[in-house]
């Protein structure tokens, strides 16, 4: 069956045991288009009873699914990729309508989502066990790898499609069942859409279950659910710590990818054209709402003035406005509270002595009350203690901090609780590699920018940025377990 996927479809149903069902109390939540500020859809506000029903369905379906042949599980994920490809234009449109994603953001999301699905499709054939020699004569040790059981996936709104995909697809490929809880800001593209896409595959009913609703209302019952074996969470550090605690109490594995405050170091001999291309992209793509975007530009004092001037020129060249316009570079922020918090960071950074080079204000859009678009903002004379630098600002803001020597640059970069991503630009690769090795972060990229995700390469945050790794074998180990089976082939000496 091929679904038609538009925002006008009926999205007001939970996906449980292969059926679209109303929430137990029939309450719903509105979905607002951040560009137009209009309500474009309604989704269910699930209750704890709905959550229980989702886990009951996941438990009932898992064992049989886990026993399916690797090729059968692989085929389902390949069918999922075909469905994503077939619906790519509709999905890009949905991302625009639900989270204000520009066309670049939409197409990037599809590309990364299918990269993750493509990697996941290889997992069923790569779930290999081991054979270990024994110190006991006549004994053979076998280690068999199998699914954990039920994987809970809690995802954020900023890149909902690929961030849900990177957990859902491998979990299912490895023989687990899933309960997916998307963000209230992206219940369709991070959640219900997956039900529609999987309906076009041979996935048995109950292997994927989707509950929408506010984290503040049903989040705890999901994170602490006794039937959950793994809690794969992507979101803020604050919520992640709470969720990891609940998962831990329940002895479910907490797989946590959290916030960041990523540094972009530009040394004196860096190729400035390249550095500025990378800097402009990674500060402003998707309005800076990327966990691995550049939060702080740390630039050598000899090139500082030129860097600030040229970054400002580039920021001013970007086209701002509704994400519905195909040429828009910088669209709306997800909601008012996010927008206002970010503007407060800018204001207090200026009050603390920084210089506003450009931006720092709302861009009005015709016919839209209280626009969510914020002008690309460059701040100079920033120090690491100022609020736009020491907080994860999650907006189109580029605070630029000067440094005088490499040790100071590294010290500034590491002066944060986070450790997610980063980048360094230098002509001398030995210097760049030395800086990269000293940066306390899970991912770092030389002569590039920090926004990189390749499904076959482990991706992890350290410190307050997370626990565990996504992608490939690293995530496979979190969603599977090994069982030790030993065979005693000859009588063993049991003398006391
Ligand atoms: P968030 O507020 O922490 O929410 C993340 C998810 O947790 C949402 O689905 C949210 O649901 C849910 N939630 C809230 N309270 C909960 C509770 N008590 N129990 C269980 N779940 C609960 O984060 P966000 O604003 O959506 O996303 C932005 C953050 O995600 C940023 O900090 C960003 O850096 C981080 N992020 C990290 C990565 C990475 O790979 N490290 C990638 C992307 C984003 P509701 O929406 O219903 O509240």
């Amino acid at each position: 069956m091929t679904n038609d996927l538009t925002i006008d479809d009926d999205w007001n149903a939970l996906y449980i045991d292969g059926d679209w069902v109303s929430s137990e109390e029939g309450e719903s939540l509105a979905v607002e288009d951040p560009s137009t500020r209009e309500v474009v859809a309604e989704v269910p506000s699930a209750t704890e009873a709905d959550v229980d029903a989702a886990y009951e369905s996941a438990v009932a379906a898992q064992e049989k699914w886990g026993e399916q042949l690797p090729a059968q599980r692989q085929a389902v994920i390949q069918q999922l990729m075909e469905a994503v490809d077939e619906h790519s234009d509709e999905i890009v449109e949905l991302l625009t309508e639900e989270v204000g994603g520009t066309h670049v953001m939409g197409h990037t999301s599809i590309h990364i989502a299918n990269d993750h699905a493509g990697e996941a499709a290889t997992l069923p054939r790569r779930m290999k066990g081991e054979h270990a020699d024994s110190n006991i004569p006549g004994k053979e040790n076998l280690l068999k790898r199998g699914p954990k059981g039920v994987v809970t996936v809690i995802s954020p709104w900023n890149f909902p499609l690929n961030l849900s995909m990177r957990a859902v697809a491998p979990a299912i490929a490895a023989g687990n069942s899933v309960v997916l809880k998307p963000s209230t800001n992206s219940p369709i593209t991070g959640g219900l859409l997956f039900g529609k896409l999987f309906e076009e595959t041979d996935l048995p009913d109950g292997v994927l279950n989707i509950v929408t609703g506010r984290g503040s209302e049903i989040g705890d019952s999901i994170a602490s659910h006794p039937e959950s074996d793994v809690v794969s969470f992507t979101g803020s550090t604050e919520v992640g710590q709470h969720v990891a605690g609940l998962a831990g109490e329940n002895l479910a594995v907490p797989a946590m990818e959290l916030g960041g405050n990523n540094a972009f170091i530009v040394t004196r001999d860096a190729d400035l054209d390249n550095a500025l291309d990378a800097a402009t992209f990674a500060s402003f793509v998707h309005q800076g709402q990327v966990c691995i975007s550049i939060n702080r530009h740390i630039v050598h004092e000899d090139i500082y003035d030129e860097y600030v001037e040229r970054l400002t020129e580039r920021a001013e060249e970007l086209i701002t406005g509704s994400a519905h316009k195909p040429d828009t570079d910088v669209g709306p922020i997800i909601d008012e509270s996010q927008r206002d918090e970010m503007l407060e960071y800018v204001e207090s950074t200026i009050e603390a002595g920084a210089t506003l080079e450009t931006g720092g204000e709302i861009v009005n859009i015709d016919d839209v009350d209280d626009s969510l678009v914020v002008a690309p903002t460059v701040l100079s004379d920033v120090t690491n203690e100022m609020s736009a630098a020491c907080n994860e600002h999650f907006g189109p803001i580029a605070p630029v901090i000067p440094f005088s020597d490499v040790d100071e640059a590294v010290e500034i970069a590491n002066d944060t609780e986070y450790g997610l991503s980063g980048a360094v630009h230098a002509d001398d690769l030995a210097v760049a590699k030395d800086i990269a090795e000293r940066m306390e972060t899970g991912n770092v990229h030389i002569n590039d920018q920090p926004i990189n995700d390749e499904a076959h390469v482990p991706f992890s945050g350290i410190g307050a940025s997370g626990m565990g790794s996504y992608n490939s074998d690293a995530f496979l180990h979190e969603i599977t377990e090994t069982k030790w089976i030993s065979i005693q082939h000859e009588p063993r000496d049991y003398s006391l």
Side-chain angles (χ1 to χ4, degrees):
M1 181 181 76
T2 301
N3 288 303
D4 203 15
L5 304 176
T6 74
I7 201 76
D8 297 327
D9 291 352
D10 181 7
W11 295 100
N12 204 351
L14 306 168
Y15 189 62
I16 297 177
D17 201 15
D19 278 335
W20 294 97
V21 295
S22 301
S23 99
E24 202 219 16
E25 287 185 4
E27 300 286 316
S28 53
L29 297 168
V31 177
E32 183 184 294
D33 179 333
S35 293
T36 63
R37 308 290 324 260
E38 285 168 2
V39 172
V40 287
E42 294 212 323
V43 297
S45 177
T47 63
E48 288 188 17
D50 296 320
V51 169
D52 285 339
Y55 281 98
E56 200 179 307
S57 155
V59 170
Q62 192 275 321
E63 197 174 330
K64 211 163 158 212
W65 172 244
E67 287 167 3
Q68 292 227 359
L69 302 176
Q72 290 171 318
R73 284 184 273 128
Q74 179 183 42
V76 165
I77 303 298
Q78 285 167 335
Q79 290 162 349
L80 174 69
M81 293 170 71
E82 283 162 25
V84 170
D85 275 340
E86 193 173 322
H87 292 288
S88 60
D89 290 343
E90 294 149 86
I91 297 173
V92 169
E93 192 63 28
L94 285 172
L95 285 163
T96 298
E97 285 156 332
E98 190 175 49
V99 295
T102 60
H103 283 218
V104 167
M105 180 274 185
H107 287 288
T108 305
S109 299
I110 302 251
H111 172 77
I112 302 174
N114 262 359
D115 190 35
H116 282 285
E119 177 69 12
T122 71
L123 296 183
R125 291 176 193 260
R126 293 203 284 120
M127 276 176 63
K128 298 201 172 82
E130 282 177 42
H131 180 277
D133 288 343
S134 175
N135 283 322
I136 299 162
K139 181 178 283 297
E140 183 183 3
N141 287 319
L142 306 171
L143 287 162
K144 200 171 175 237
R145 185 170 292 283
K148 276 251 188 245
V150 177
V151 176
T152 298
V153 178
I154 303 175
S155 62
W157 52 264
N158 62 323
F159 268 86
L161 181 78
N162 50 291
L163 293 173
S164 289
M165 181 69 93
R166 74 174 175 177
V168 169
I172 288 178
N176 299 283
S177 58
V178 166
V179 173
L180 169 62
K181 189 269 185 247
S183 164
T184 301
N185 278 326
S186 56
I188 297 173
T189 51
L192 300 168
L193 173 64
F194 282 80
K196 305 257 187 192
L197 295 170
F198 269 109
E199 277 188 330
E200 296 180 18
T201 74
D202 295 327
L203 188 74
D205 292 347
V207 177
L208 174 66
N209 305 276
I210 306 163
V211 283
T212 55
R214 288 187 204 289
S216 54
E217 290 168 14
I218 55 165
D220 284 11
S221 64
I222 292 174
S224 65
H225 204 282
E227 297 295 358
S228 173
D229 298 296
V230 179
V231 178
S232 167
F233 175 92
T234 303
S236 64
T237 298
E238 190 188 356
V239 177
Q241 272 175 322
H242 172 71
V243 166
L246 293 173
E249 275 174 32
N250 199 27
L251 297 183
V253 174
M256 300 280 135
E257 288 297 341
L258 310 176
N261 185 353
N262 312 300
F264 182 77
I265 297 178
V266 187
T267 62
R268 184 172 27 199
D269 70 348
D271 177 329
L272 218 46
D273 291 332
N274 272 346
L276 283 158
D277 285 346
T280 308
F281 171 80
S283 272
F284 302 121
V285 70
H286 195 37
Q287 295 77 263
Q289 304 169 116
V290 191
C291 56
I292 44 182
S293 62
I294 300 174
N295 291 82
R296 297 168 294 153
H297 300 242
I298 302 171
V299 180
H300 193 274
E301 59 191 7
D302 290 357
I303 53 165
Y304 185 83
D305 290 344
E306 183 184 355
Y307 185 93
V308 169
E309 190 184 325
R310 291 178 62 187
L311 185 64
T312 302
E313 278 167 19
R314 286 173 180 239
E316 288 174 346
E317 280 162 17
L318 296 171
I319 299 171
T320 54
S322 163
H324 291 272
K325 294 191 176 165
D327 59 349
T328 294
D329 298 311
V330 176
I333 299 299
I334 191 71
D335 61 25
E336 274 169 43
S337 69
Q338 194 78 28
R339 178 200 65 188
D340 294 346
E341 182 182 69
M342 183 207 326
L343 288 172
E344 277 164 29
Y345 288 149
V346 173
E347 207 177 298
S348 60
T349 300
I350 296 166
E351 277 165 14
T355 306
L356 178 67
E357 299 287 341
T358 189
E361 60 191 4
I362 292 171
V363 177
N364 290 315
I365 308 184
D366 287 347
D367 305 325
V368 177
D369 265 349
D370 201 15
S371 159
L372 294 176
V373 178
V374 170
T377 300
V378 177
L379 293 160
S380 62
D381 307 318
V382 177
T383 63
N384 213 33
E385 300 71 40
M386 294 180 182
S387 58
C390 65
N391 292 292
E392 182 189 34
H393 53 63
F394 232 57
I397 307 176
V400 194
I401 304 172
F403 73 86
S404 54
D405 64 43
V406 161
D407 289 344
E408 188 190 4
V410 172
E411 197 181 316
I412 296 170
N414 289 343
D415 184 16
T416 170
E417 59 175 336
Y418 296 106
L420 190 53
S421 193
V424 50
H425 276 251
D427 184 51
D428 184 334
L429 284 185
V431 170
K433 194 155 170 289
D434 174 58
I435 295 174
E437 279 171 9
R438 291 164 64 193
M439 285 171 77
E440 292 161 4
T441 182
N443 315 290
V444 57
H445 305 283
I446 293 171
N447 291 340
D448 192 5
Q449 44 71 42
I451 306 178
N452 282 281
D453 183 16
E454 297 191 49
H456 62 291
V457 183
F459 177 103
S460 26
I462 60 171
S465 292
M467 199 157 85
S469 297
Y470 271 103
N471 300 356
S472 196
D473 288 352
F475 191 58
L476 179 66
H477 289 169
E478 295 185 40
I479 52 174
T480 55
E481 58 195 6
T482 50
K483 182 169 190 170
W484 177 18
I485 301 175
S486 83
I487 308 170
Q488 189 63 36
H489 288 286
E490 57 191 58
R492 183 173 167 179
D493 178 6
Y494 293 112
S495 41
L496 297 171

